[in-house]
Amino acid sequence: MNIKRSGGIAAIALVGALVLASCATNEGGPSSTDSPAESLEGVLTGSGASSQEKAQTAWTAAIQDANSGLTVNYSAGGSGVGRTAFIEGAVDFVGSDRAFKADELTSNTFGSCVADTPIVELPLYISPIALGYNLPGVEQLNLDASTIALIFSNQITTWNDPAIADLNEGVDLPALAITPVYRSTNSGTTENFTDYLSKVAPDQWTFDVSGDWPAGLTGEAAAETGDVASALANEGTIGYLDASRAPGTTAAILVGDEFVSYSPEGAAAVVDASPAEDREFEGDLAIALDRTTTESGTYPLVLVSYLIGCSEYTDPAQGALVKGYFSYIASEDGQLAAADAAGSAPISEALRTQISTAIELIK
């Protein structure tokens, strides 16, 4: 994908102008030719995935630079926290490392949305989940899914265990205790990680797929993505985290017959090859990730993080702001900003078309 940097700020301002003009027209107000909107103005509040934190910092800085009257606040307290805040109406949008489940959509009302209207769920942040480790003298490490599952379930407890040694011929592995690092809060990254293990190593990982780490498993608990990165400064640790915070040494995972290091391209390849979930609303673009792919060049330990909002807001002014913000994030400039800041994979043109159609439903 050939993405150009030039014109980014102008594009953001234009997005805001078009969105506000469209909103005014739809509400029976002056047309865009009578009263053209020049900027987005107001305060937009979001909460959720810490995996998105670097990308959100880049997105908010860019759109605020182009729109001096706009303030975007994003609190990266975790996907579960963000989804709860969105249900309660405490935020205008949420960043989440998974879409809402079908039963959650039917059992909840969303405080900022008009009653009985659906929500939009947009896969706008695609990133590998890296397996960072701290093992002095070991610059390259290979692991397969079954070994990863046994490590994180406390069944492999030292780095020179034969199961690890067999995957790393010629590597001098120390007789050092393994300390798995896991998320202590409800986390979409945890849910994606446990989903991967349950799909690829079901005999070794027998726990539920969940955003909460299984009770009884030991290691070092870390609240957010940045805390996992900090914990990996300690020798003997291994942890799963969004690639935007990956340390200098990360494990390659077995995909088919080859060990593959994480890459944005490998993550994007899995997303494009995966089917959509069966959802009733055309603005709900949840993806059913294919974790078991063995295609060359894919990296199935991936998370798709969503930007989630109402299709119809109780306050149309907030709907216009969300529409403008999401439009920028989905643009080529917005996706490049995230790639530069966080190492994420820009969405494909085919997916951008679907997302743009969904954004048009927001009001």
Side-chain angles (χ1 to χ4, degrees):
M1 185 185 300
N2 182 20
I3 301 176
K4 297 180 180 179
R5 295 173 182 270
S6 60
I9 297 299
I12 298 169
L14 179 60
V15 164
L18 292 176
V19 169
L20 288 181
S22 173
C23 183
T25 301
N26 291 339
E27 293 174 7
S31 70
S32 59
T33 54
D34 293 331
S35 179
E38 295 182 357
S39 64
L40 297 169
E41 294 186 0
V43 178
L44 191 57
T45 303
S47 174
S50 60
S51 62
Q52 290 187 22
E53 185 171 16
K54 285 191 175 183
Q56 286 285 352
T57 298
W59 289 329
T60 57
I63 202 165
Q64 287 175 160
D65 282 348
N67 297 272
S68 60
L70 177 67
T71 299
V72 181
N73 298 312
Y74 182 80
S75 175
S79 296
V81 171
R83 290 194 301 272
T84 298
F86 185 62
I87 290 169
E88 294 174 347
V91 295
D92 302 304
F93 71 92
V94 58
S96 176
D97 290 343
R98 70 159 172 86
F100 279 95
K101 297 176 182 178
D103 63 330
E104 293 173 329
L105 294 176
T106 57
S107 62
N108 288 301
T109 56
F110 299 92
S112 295
C113 308
V114 172
D116 300 321
T117 60
I119 62 172
V120 295
E121 302 192 275
L122 311 176
L124 281 167
Y125 182 81
I126 299 169
S127 180
I129 297 174
L131 277 176
Y133 68 93
N134 187 326
L135 208 52
V138 178
E139 299 299 321
Q140 184 173 347
L141 183 70
N142 294 329
L143 295 173
D144 60 16
S146 61
T147 304
I148 297 167
L150 293 172
I151 288 172
F152 280 88
S153 61
N154 305 136
Q155 297 179 71
I156 292 177
T157 58
T158 57
W159 280 108
N160 65 344
D161 186 282
I164 302 176
D166 288 346
L167 300 172
N168 295 273
E169 293 185 12
V171 177
D172 185 17
L173 296 165
L176 181 66
I178 298 175
T179 302
V181 181
Y182 60 89
R183 292 285 291 273
S184 61
T185 55
N186 185 282
S187 159
T189 309
T190 295
E191 188 154 350
N192 277 272
F193 181 60
T194 57
D195 183 57
Y196 166 77
L197 294 179
S198 70
K199 296 287 197 313
V200 187
D203 292 337
Q204 291 77 29
W205 189 261
T206 58
F207 305 93
D208 291 338
V209 175
S210 174
D212 294 311
W213 191 246
L217 297 185
T218 61
E220 182 171 349
E224 298 176 9
T225 302
D227 301 313
V228 176
S230 296
L232 291 175
N234 300 318
E235 291 186 7
T237 53
I238 182 171
Y240 59 93
L241 71 172
D242 181 77
S244 65
R245 296 294 186 93
T249 51
T250 58
I253 64 173
L254 185 64
V255 181
D257 296 326
E258 60 181 346
F259 288 97
V260 179
S261 297
Y262 81 84
S263 70
E265 296 78 13
V270 173
V271 173
D272 282 345
S274 298
E277 290 189 12
D278 185 15
R279 298 295 174 99
E280 293 183 1
F281 180 52
E282 61 181 321
D284 189 340
L285 303 180
I287 296 172
L289 286 170
D290 181 7
R291 304 287 191 188
T292 60
T293 180
T294 57
E295 289 295 318
S296 178
T298 60
Y299 185 85
L301 182 49
V302 59
L303 67 82
V304 176
S305 202
Y306 295 81
L307 273 295
I308 301 172
C310 306
S311 63
E312 186 172 354
Y313 281 82
T314 56
D315 182 351
Q318 293 308 106
L321 295 183
V322 171
K323 190 172 187 176
Y325 189 45
F326 284 8
S327 295
Y328 165 62
I329 293 171
S331 72
E332 291 186 347
D333 287 300
Q335 289 293 294
L336 181 60
D340 286 346
S344 58
I347 58 176
S348 67
E349 287 301 323
L351 184 54
R352 190 193 319 280
T353 298
Q354 296 179 60
I355 289 173
S356 297
T357 300
I359 290 173
E360 285 304 308
L361 301 172
I362 299 173
K363 57 185 178 179

